């Protein structure tokens, strides 16, 4: 069972445990009280009538307590079930809405790229269209990140043999003004869609925040591990790299929300790999570690 589903079931499990414990406690209290009354009846025959009254009182109060606990537990389970249904409906709506919006954005980006090719000789129009293409790519990446975050725990990754060269080339096409060089081919064990998202976020970070024009991807294989060192020639990061990848953490006024690097790190963990930040004198550098594909 995915961890997201386990988390959704956790309140129900806790409510069920509380209900069972409370009812058991009430039943124990009822049985214990009745036993004590029976003992007192045996010791004090002259108070038999009083003991009978106390016995009836304990029985009715115990039954009422158990009834209240059952009603409260049932109501709690019902509202948890309703909350789960509403949460699933919201996630399904969000996924459908994001998918439809991504389709429209992809169409808009293709039309913008076509116009850019047609008006390449017009300098002013070309600059405007370049900004439009970059903005549509950026919005598309943000939508994909939102979709991954919404289903981060419930989505199941399919690990298979993936060519690093094909993955890098497919992602690099989204930024025609960015020179991306891969030094060597490698095959990693990864989810193709997740790897695509990781690379998109890293290149998006290099272009938007680092204002890089070149990215170099070095592939190395060591002891059944494949390491990809991704370095750009941008402005780099002036701060504590341990703070990078913190969700919604802003390091300065113009920094992003941290969603891209956070999601890239989480996806690498789900694929059995890791993402770490390297010290680079110029630009920004990260290391991605994968399992080598058999």
């Amino acid at each position: 069972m995915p961890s997201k589903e386990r988390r959704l079931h956790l309140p129900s499990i806790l409510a069920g445990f509380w209900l069972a414990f409370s009812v058991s406690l009430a039943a124990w209290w009822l049985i214990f009280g009745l036993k004590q009354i029976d003992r007192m009846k045996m010791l004090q025959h002259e108070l038999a009538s009083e003991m009978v009254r106390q016995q009836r009182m304990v029985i009715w109060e115990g039954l009422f307590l158990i009834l209240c606990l059952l009603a409260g537990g049932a109501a709690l389970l019902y509202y948890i079930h309703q909350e789960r249904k509403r949460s699933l409906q919201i996630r399904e709506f969000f996924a459908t809405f994001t998918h439809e919006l991504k389709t429209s954005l992809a169409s808009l980006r293709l039309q913008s790229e076509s116009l850019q090719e047609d008006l390449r000789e017009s300098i002013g129009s070309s600059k405007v269209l370049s900004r439009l293409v970059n903005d549509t790519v950026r919005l598309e990446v943000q939508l994909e990140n939102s979709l991954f975050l919404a289903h981060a725990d419930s989505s199941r990754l399919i690990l298979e043999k993936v060519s690093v060269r094909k993955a890098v080339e497919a992602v690099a096409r989204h930024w025609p003004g960015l020179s991306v060089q891969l030094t060597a081919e490698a095959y990693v064990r990864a989810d193709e869609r997740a790897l695509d998202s990781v690379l998109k976020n890293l290149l998006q970070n290099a272009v938007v925040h680092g204002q890089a024009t070149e990215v170099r991807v070095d592939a190395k294989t060591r002891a059944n591990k494949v390491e990809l060192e991704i370095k750009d020639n941008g402005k780099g990061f002036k701060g504590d790299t341990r703070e990078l990848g913190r969700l919604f953490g802003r390091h300065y006024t113009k920094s992003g929300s941290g969603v891209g690097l956070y999601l890239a790190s989480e996806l690498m963990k789900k694929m059995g790999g890791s993402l770490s930040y390297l010290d680079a004198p110029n630009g920004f550098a990260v290391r991605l570690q994968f399992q080598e594909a058999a």
Side-chain angles (χ1 to χ4, degrees):
M1 181 185 295
S3 56
K4 183 67 174 179
E5 293 183 11
R6 286 199 298 268
R7 276 201 301 199
L8 287 174
H9 287 300
L10 183 60
S12 300
I13 295 173
L14 292 176
F17 175 77
W18 170 83
L19 181 60
F21 176 77
S22 302
V23 172
S24 300
L25 183 62
W28 173 85
W29 172 82
L30 177 60
I31 295 171
F32 177 79
L34 292 174
K35 286 184 176 180
Q36 293 301 315
I37 292 173
D38 288 337
R39 288 182 182 178
M40 293 175 66
K41 285 171 63 177
M42 294 175 61
L43 295 175
Q44 302 180 15
H45 294 286
E46 65 276 9
L47 298 178
S49 60
E50 179 65 21
M51 292 301 101
V52 170
R53 190 182 68 83
Q54 292 291 334
Q55 184 181 35
R56 290 175 180 173
M57 183 184 69
V58 170
I59 291 174
W60 286 109
E61 287 182 358
L63 291 175
F64 180 75
L65 177 60
I66 293 175
L67 182 63
C68 290
L69 289 172
L70 286 172
L76 184 60
L77 289 172
Y78 171 77
Y79 285 114
I80 289 175
H81 177 68
Q82 293 296 110
E83 185 65 26
R84 285 179 56 200
K85 283 179 60 178
R86 187 173 64 174
S87 175
L88 289 173
Q89 289 173 351
I90 292 174
R91 286 199 301 163
E92 289 174 0
F93 165 78
F94 184 74
T96 303
F97 173 77
T98 305
H99 176 73
E100 296 296 332
L101 194 56
K102 277 180 59 180
T103 303
S104 301
L105 275 174
S107 176
L108 177 62
R109 180 166 59 85
L110 289 174
Q111 294 181 47
S112 302
E113 291 173 349
S114 298
L115 284 173
Q116 190 178 30
E117 290 292 329
D118 295 340
L119 301 177
R120 186 174 295 277
E121 296 180 358
S122 178
I123 299 177
S125 300
S126 179
K127 289 183 178 179
V128 172
L129 288 172
S130 294
R131 287 198 298 269
L132 178 60
V133 171
N134 291 335
D135 286 342
T136 54
V137 171
R138 183 176 184 178
L139 186 55
E140 199 171 358
V141 172
Q142 290 174 343
L143 280 173
E144 289 179 357
N145 288 346
S146 301
L147 191 59
F148 265 112
L149 282 177
H151 297 273
D153 296 324
S154 60
S155 60
R156 185 173 63 90
L157 300 186
I158 301 175
L159 301 182
E160 55 187 353
K161 183 177 180 179
V162 179
S163 166
V164 173
R165 182 175 299 279
K166 289 184 179 180
V168 171
E169 290 176 351
V171 171
R173 284 198 292 266
H174 294 285
W175 291 273
L178 181 67
S179 174
V180 181
Q181 299 179 352
L182 177 67
T183 58
E185 171 67 298
Y187 293 91
V188 297
R189 181 171 171 78
D191 180 274
E192 190 170 353
R193 183 166 167 260
L195 177 58
D196 181 80
S197 178
V198 171
L199 294 175
K200 277 184 179 178
N201 278 294
L202 293 177
L203 294 187
Q204 174 77 1
N205 184 73
V207 172
V208 175
H209 302 295
Q211 298 179 359
T213 57
E214 295 180 2
V215 173
R216 179 186 175 93
V217 182
D218 294 322
K220 303 174 183 178
T221 303
R222 298 176 181 174
N224 298 326
K225 302 284 186 180
V226 175
E227 293 182 352
L228 300 183
E229 293 186 0
I230 303 176
K231 305 174 184 178
D232 64 49
N233 65 341
K235 296 186 299 183
F237 176 73
K238 310 301 181 185
D240 188 358
T241 55
R242 291 176 297 182
E243 295 295 319
L244 288 174
R246 186 162 53 89
L247 192 60
F248 304 123
R250 296 176 63 86
H251 309 287
Y252 42 87
T253 55
K254 294 184 179 180
S255 63
S257 61
V259 172
L261 291 178
Y262 167 81
L263 186 61
S265 179
E266 290 300 308
L267 288 175
M268 287 300 301
K269 291 177 183 177
K270 291 190 70 172
M271 290 188 290
S274 63
L275 183 151
S276 55
Y277 303 99
L278 305 176
D279 292 329
N282 297 309
F284 185 71
V286 299
R287 177 185 290 125
L288 305 180
Q289 187 179 77
F290 299 86
Q291 295 288 336
E292 184 182 17

